[in-house]
């Protein structure tokens, strides 16, 4: 998948090294008692090592394919923006700008759909409510970005819109 996304974003895969990061959260006691769970935080990271981009992806992203694509696309955005020196890491809005880059590359269906997830999880005989937030933009901002993307491409009713989750699509 990394190679396919590199090709889609016109990045030479040889410029990128992939690392696997352990999941940031250990459910601990919450795995055994019925509570509402929530997760947020960095699902990946980007850094430069000897002039080469290193991206790390949290292992638990593999359980959520849409979130995995969204995370890898975001981190590859860092390759283009930070790794190529287009912006500085100190720039206050560099993370939201990196998420917007996924719109530019036509990958915002993934980033928009992964921005907020609400669901249920079964643990033994009990069912738990879960929610997770991924990325730096909200669903309405993704909806607006996707609308602008369609408008700029002259797509009044894009066929891909049916794949966008309800909240960003409504925006």
């Amino acid at each position: 998948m990394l190679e396919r996304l590199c090709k889609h974003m016109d990045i030479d895969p040889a410029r990128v090294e992939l690392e696997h990061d352990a999941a940031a959260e250990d459910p601990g006691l919450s795995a055994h008692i019925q509570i509402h769970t929530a997760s947020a935080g960095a699902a990946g990271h980007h850094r430069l090592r000897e002039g080469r981009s290193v991206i790390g992806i949290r292992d638990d992203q593999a359980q959520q394919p849409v979130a995995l694509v969204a995370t890898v696309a975001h981190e590859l955005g860092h390759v283009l923006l930070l790794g190529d020196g287009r912006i500085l890491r100190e720039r206050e809005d560099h993370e939201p700008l990196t998420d917007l880059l996924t719109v530019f590359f036509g990958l915002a269906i993934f980033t928009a759909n992964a921005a907020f997830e609400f669901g249920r999880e079964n643990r033994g005989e009990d069912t738990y409510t879960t929610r997770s937030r991924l990325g730096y933009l909200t669903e309405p901002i993704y909806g607006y970005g996707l609308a602008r993307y369609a408008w700029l491409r002259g797509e009044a009713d894009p066929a891909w819109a049916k794949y966008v989750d309800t909240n960003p699509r409504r925006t």
Side-chain angles (χ1 to χ4, degrees), residues 67-126:
L68 178 61
V69 172
T71 301
V72 172
H74 175 90
E75 298 309 326
L76 289 175
H78 284 312
V79 172
L80 294 171
L81 295 175
L82 297 171
D84 288 351
R86 289 182 169 96
I87 65 170
L88 297 174
R89 187 171 298 279
E90 293 75 27
R91 182 176 167 155
E92 188 176 327
D93 66 345
H94 89 268
E95 291 289 1
L97 183 62
T98 305
D99 274 350
L100 279 176
L101 193 60
T102 68
V103 177
F104 176 80
F105 278 101
L107 295 166
I109 291 173
F110 297 100
T111 51
N113 288 353
F116 183 78
E117 289 290 329
F118 180 79
R120 298 204 179 274
E121 179 180 304
N122 293 321
R123 294 187 204 145
E125 296 177 16
D126 297 317

Side-chain angles (χ1 to χ4, degrees), residues 156-167:
D157 187 19
W160 50 262
K162 65 184 175 188
Y163 299 108
V164 179
D165 284 351
T166 302
N167 288 342

Side-chain angles (χ1 to χ4, degrees), residues 48-65:
L48 291 172
R49 181 171 55 213
E50 298 173 9
R52 190 166 181 226
S53 284
V54 178
I55 62 172
I57 306 297
R58 229 176 43 208
D59 288 337
D60 61 348
Q61 292 296 299
Q63 298 170 1
Q64 303 166 352

